[in-house]
Every structure is written in C-alpha cells, then in structure tokens.
Amino acid sequence: MKFRKLMMAMTAAVMMLGMGSVQAADLRVGVEGAYPPFSWKESDGTLKGFDIEIAEAICAEMKRKCVLIEQDWDGMIPALKARKFDTIIASMSITEERKKQVNFSDKYYNTPAKFVARKGAGLEISKEGLKGKRIGLQRGTTHQCFMEKMYPDAELVLYGTQDEVFQDLAIGRIDAQFSDSIAADDGFLKTDAGKDFEFTGADQHDEACHGPGAGMTVRKSDDELRMELNKALKAIRANGVYQKINAKYFEFDIFGG
Amino acid sequence: MGDSIVQFLETWSPIDIVLIAQNFDRFLWGALTTLELTLISLVVGGILSIPLAIIRAGNNPFLNAPVWLFTYVFRGTPLLVQTYLIYYGLGQFEWIRETFLWGPILSQAWYCALIAFSLNTAAYTTELLRGSIVNTNRGEVEAAKACGFSSPMRMRRIVLPSAFRRALPAYSNEVIFMLHGSVVASTITIQDLLGVGRWLNGRYYLAYEGFITAAVLYFIIVLAVSRGFRFWEKHWLQHLYPREALEVKPAKGAASFRI
C-alpha cells in the first residue's frame, strides 16, 4: 500500500516536470520607459522603443511570452535581485562594478558617450574646462562612473531619468549633459527642445566605466537563462530580425564592432 | 589592528560597512542639507502661518476665503507634486525664465525645494494654530476684556502665547513630517540625506548600504527632535498637567493634611 502511494507521488512529480518543459513560463523583462529612442511610453501607456522591440524579438525566439515590467532606473538591479523580473533589457552597459552584483549576456549594442551643450557655449572638454561646470547626468549610469573618475572637479547634477536631464539642459539649469550619444541625438537634439544644442567634444570612452556595450542582465544564479538569451540574440542577429529593428530606429548598425 | 578589523568586516558583515565608512562624510553633508532645508522652511513657514492663522480664526470673509483656499490647496496636494510644479513647472515658461527671479532663485533646485516646503508647512501650521486659537479658554479672554485689554493686545498677550503652548504637541508631528517630507528634495537633484543614499546605490549598485545608512541617520535626527519637544512640552505646558498633591509636613501634634 505504502509503495503504491509512493509510486503515484513519483509519477505525478515526473508528469509535472514534463509539463514544465513543454509549456515554458513567461519571461518577465524589466524595462525603463524613459530613455528614448531605446524605450519610452506612449500617451496611452504602451511601451515603445528599440529595447522593447529587442525584448519582444528575444522572447519570440525563445518561444516564451514576454511580460514587460516597468522599473525606475536606479532600482533596476535591486528589483532583479528581488526577483521582480528575470532579466533586464534596458540599455544596461556591461561593467565590472555591475558584474559584482549581476551577470550579463553578450552585448546587444554599443554606442559611444558624448557631451551635449548649448550651441556656441565654447565648453572645453578637459579637466580645466569642466572644472566647476554643472554637468547633468542620469544617476546610476556608466556616465556617473566616468565623470567621477575622469572629471572629478566638475559639479555633477544627478537625475532619476534621462528625460529630466534634457529638460533642465533646455532651460539652462545645467551647463552640459553627458550621456549615450544616440540617446542624446534622438531623444533631444533632433527634437524641438534641443534645436539650440549640439554635441561638444569627441566620443568619450573609458573601458572600466563604460564596458563593452549594453547587455541583457540576469541574476548570477541564472546562468542557464544567460545562455538561452545569448543563443536567442545570436539567432536574431543571424536571421535579420535584429537588423530590421535596427533600421527602424537608426541609420547605421548600432551593434558596434 | 585596523587592517584586521577591516578584513573581518569585509569577510563577515552582510552589508559593506567599509564602503559606508569611506563615504560617511558625504552622508554627513547630506544630513546637513536635510537639516538646513527642514529648519529654514519650518522657520519661514512658521512666521508665515501666524498672521494667516489669526485671519483664519477671525471672521472677515474677504481675508478668510483666500487663506482658506491656500491651506486647502497645499494640504490637499502631495508635497512631491508641489515641488515638481515649482521646479519643472515654472521653468517651462519662458517669461518666468526672463524675470530677475530666475537666475538667483528659481533656477536653483535648493530654493525651489525651500519655497515648496515653506508653503507646505505654512499651510499645515496655519490650520494647526487656528484650531489652537479658536480653542482658547473663554474665561481667559473674558478676564482680559474685563481688565481693559484691547483686541490686538488680547491676541498678543493672552491668546497667542497660550495657543502656541497648546499647539506644541501637534506641532512636533508637523516638524517630523516636514523632516520626512524633505526627502522630496532628492528627486530634484539636491544631494540631501536620501540623495546621498541614492548616489551610493547609483555608483555601486548597493541599495541596502545607502538606504540603511540614510535611514539610521534620519532616525537619529527624529529621536533628537522628539526628545527636544518632550522637554519643551514639560517646560511650557506645566500649568496644564494635573497638579501633584503637595504634602505639607504637619506641625507637631497636628493631623497631617493635603492641599
């Protein structure tokens, strides 16, 4: 009798395991929604942007349903660790500092960082030139690391979202802003608010701060998911889905060398 | 010795105490900014609230209605919204950016926070004081009338001093709410105590370390504030406490009695 009960329990357990592998669970993806053109929110609340479409493409490739979960930028990593979602697809750069807390897939794009200032402001990008200048940037980004390391004499003004940085740059509360060049170009310079502004100085890059590019973020314990994400990323690069999305937003390949 | 302590903490502490210690001066500067903002807005709001409370306690409808509207609006909307309206909202209008107020005041996050906080606490304190003024003991007012005090003198000498004292316990809550409310400053780029916690999280991706340190420092400040108020209440509200019976030493042979 006892033996039969045990057998039934074991059969049930095996069946449940089997079902699990047939019907894959939803993939919960943390996204931001305030970082055009990579992610933004339409007035009706739907999320749009390069990151969002990449997320959908990755999910489709993995044959799992995407559940997009919005999260403020500076709470991204804590929320991932707290299992509010399984991966972050939100233009998060792969850096050593972050790797102490989480793991990354391969990069899915890499674009340089640049300063933006008012046209004709004559801002010189050097230790002396930036001394005491108010430089706006988004808190918790690789750009915070870069500025604190390379230009410690500049006065950093930290914002919660990139949108707020552009807003305060437009009305003159800060002398310049420092961010990803694509985000600055599409999110600000090409808009009406940014018509009096321009890129200042060359591309800025520091390997330790900026890392090899933006990756999909997973918990350290989720190595299997990391491999699956890498496989899906390779697949959408190979079958042209990535390039199609890329072309929708940018005139050149942002995957980088 | 020092090295071994550091090593011990690095190995065994669940949170990165060494990192907190390295950045502790930032936290103290943040705490100073928080205290500065809270104190100055309490003073400005407090001064504003006295005439407003007198108006609210009186019955002149032309003065009463606008003050009522002011307190209603500022108590009826969240402090975060008020701060955003002043910081992001006002900056949107070009003509405001062209006034003399823009450069020195409205373009500065610190002043925007101060204006929002001062108006907010003024609204709450006005209503609090109004209640206290209205509830002044009739007998005291009548006695002052009988002694020939004029109406302004009655307000200054009798009603307000007593109203301030009786408002004290409720006002201590307002002070603590304002201190907690001052975290809103960190959303408009000010590096207050919470702002430093967020900076640490942004730089090292360690949420606990930054926020726990901020929480502990807030806790210490609130402890000091509530202790201070308890002392003042004891001092200024002594006359309202039930009187303790005084034991009068009986003269020899007489029965003891109490007064």
Side-chain angles (χ1 to χ4, degrees):
Chain A
M1 197 61 193
K2 240 183 185 174
F3 178 74
R4 256 175 76 180
K5 258 190 186 165
L6 192 71
M7 279 300 283
M8 274 164 74
M10 276 171 70
T11 320
V14 168
M15 275 171 73
M16 267 152 78
L17 275 174
M19 272 157 69
S21 66
V22 170
Q23 194 167 36
D26 295 348
L27 184 66
R28 297 172 305 158
V29 183
V31 294
E32 193 193 2
Y35 194 62
F38 296 100
S39 73
W40 75 87
K41 222 167 145 180
E42 289 290 324
S43 50
D44 64 357
T46 54
L47 288 155
K48 291 265 169 70
F50 180 78
D51 283 342
I52 309 295
E53 291 201 32
I54 289 290
E56 299 283 4
I58 292 279
C59 288
E61 184 62 41
M62 288 165 77
K63 299 195 173 51
R64 287 171 75 169
K65 197 172 154 261
C66 248
V67 181
L68 300 180
I69 298 171
E70 265 179 86
Q71 170 67 46
D72 282 343
W73 180 253
D74 55 7
M76 277 290 179
I77 288 178
L80 177 72
K81 286 168 122 186
R83 297 179 178 273
K84 285 196 183 134
F85 33 75
D86 308 307
T87 178
I88 302 169
I89 304 184
S91 300
M92 189 175 275
S93 300
I94 303 161
T95 68
E96 289 307 312
E97 200 77 63
R98 286 184 180 129
K99 275 191 191 161
K100 288 181 194 164
Q101 310 296 333
V102 289
N103 240 339
F104 287 93
S105 72
D106 299 335
K107 65 147 189 191
Y108 67 95
Y109 78 85
N110 185 22
T111 49
K114 271 185 163 175
F115 287 94
V116 174
R118 194 173 281 277
K119 278 180 187 162
L123 193 72
E124 192 199 326
I125 308 301
S126 66
K127 272 210 163 72
E128 283 71 45
L130 290 177
K131 194 172 182 175
K133 288 279 187 286
R134 287 169 60 81
I135 310 297
L137 52 89
Q138 190 180 4
R139 185 194 298 121
T141 57
T142 52
H143 313 304
Q144 183 183 347
C145 169
F146 178 85
M147 285 299 294
E148 283 177 7
K149 185 176 165 190
M150 307 300 277
Y151 301 108
D153 294 332
E155 188 190 334
L156 294 193
V157 187
L158 303 178
Y159 292 83
T161 68
Q162 188 61 42
D163 286 347
E164 290 170 339
V165 183
F166 294 143
Q167 212 170 333
D168 263 6
L169 180 65
I171 62 174
R173 278 205 178 101
I174 48 180
D175 296 312
Q177 76 98 34
F178 184 57
S179 71
D180 181 82
S181 55
I182 299 288
D185 202 25
D186 287 27
F188 184 63
L189 293 176
K190 281 181 184 162
T191 68
D192 201 38
K195 62 181 189 296
D196 297 330
F197 294 83
E198 63 184 359
F199 282 124
T200 305
D203 291 355
Q204 306 287 323
H205 188 80
D206 176 74
E207 189 60 35
C209 280
H210 284 128
M216 295 175 265
T217 322
V218 295
R219 284 181 290 273
K220 286 201 164 180
S221 52
D222 274 357
D223 218 41
E224 203 174 321
L225 177 62
R226 194 176 68 86
M227 315 259 239
E228 283 175 46
L229 288 171
N230 278 341
K231 218 171 91 191
L233 178 62
K234 270 208 188 83
I236 63 166
R237 283 283 300 168
N239 67 14
V241 172
Y242 180 99
Q243 287 76 358
K244 223 181 249 167
I245 298 171
N246 188 126
K248 229 170 124 181
Y249 292 91
F250 312 107
E251 287 139 20
F252 58 98
D253 185 4
I254 67 163
F255 190 77
Chain B
M1 180 66 190
D3 284 353
S4 62
I5 290 176
V6 167
Q7 201 164 26
F8 177 79
L9 289 174
E10 271 175 352
T11 329
W12 295 105
S13 168
I15 63 171
D16 195 342
I17 290 180
V18 177
L19 185 72
I20 295 172
Q22 277 166 354
N23 292 293
F24 203 67
D25 54 331
R26 273 180 188 262
F27 279 99
L28 291 183
W29 283 113
L32 195 70
T33 306
T34 291
L35 283 175
E36 210 173 55
L37 265 176
T38 312
L39 264 178
I40 299 177
S41 46
L42 283 170
V43 168
V44 175
I47 291 170
L48 274 176
S49 72
I50 296 168
L52 296 181
I54 295 172
I55 290 170
R56 282 284 286 133
N59 39 22
N60 182 333
F62 294 102
L63 292 174
N64 208 326
V67 179
W68 171 83
L69 187 69
F70 162 74
T71 62
Y72 198 77
V73 167
F74 274 87
R75 297 197 310 160
T77 53
L79 181 60
L80 182 67
V81 175
Q82 293 159 18
T83 311
Y84 271 18
L85 277 176
I86 292 173
Y87 186 77
Y88 288 115
L90 289 182
Q92 194 183 314
F93 300 106
E94 193 144 3
W95 61 271
I96 286 184
R97 295 208 301 275
E98 277 158 10
T99 63
F100 69 99
L101 282 174
W102 178 254
I105 296 177
L106 288 176
S107 72
Q108 314 278 332
W110 197 87
Y111 280 106
C112 289
L114 188 72
I115 292 169
F117 294 179
S118 298
L119 292 177
N120 185 275
T121 182
Y124 279 97
T125 313
T126 298
E127 290 303 317
L128 201 144
L129 261 184
R130 180 196 71 98
S132 199
I133 290 173
V134 169
N135 285 326
T136 305
N137 191 334
R138 274 252 176 101
E140 288 178 32
V141 180
E142 277 165 11
K145 270 186 194 161
C147 290
F149 278 46
S150 68
S151 172
M153 206 177 190
R154 248 183 355 248
M155 184 56 82
R156 190 162 61 84
R157 288 268 189 83
I158 308 295
V159 177
L160 279 184
S162 144
F164 285 152
R165 291 178 182 204
R166 280 175 290 112
L168 206 55
Y171 188 64
S172 74
N173 275 337
E174 172 56 22
V175 170
I176 292 171
F177 282 145
M178 196 61 244
L179 180 79
H180 289 171
S182 73
V183 297
V184 163
S186 72
T187 63
I188 56 166
T189 75
I190 297 171
Q191 287 284 53
D192 70 337
L193 193 38
L194 180 64
V196 177
R198 297 176 105 176
W199 165 83
L200 191 90
N201 180 31
R203 184 74 179 76
Y204 300 101
Y205 313 106
L206 294 168
Y208 265 125
E209 281 71 358
F211 297 133
I212 279 208
T213 313
V216 167
L217 288 172
Y218 277 115
F219 184 78
I220 291 171
I221 297 171
V222 169
L223 197 70
V225 169
S226 58
R227 279 289 156 121
F229 269 97
R230 211 198 288 171
F231 173 79
W232 285 318
E233 279 171 30
K234 268 202 179 140
H235 187 75
W236 292 106
L237 296 174
Q238 193 67 57
H239 64 294
L240 295 179
Y241 292 141
R243 212 179 286 186
E244 276 175 51
L246 285 178
E247 195 91 26
V248 177
K249 276 256 157 98
K252 248 195 185 143
S256 90
F257 65 95
R258 295 177 138 197
I259 53 168

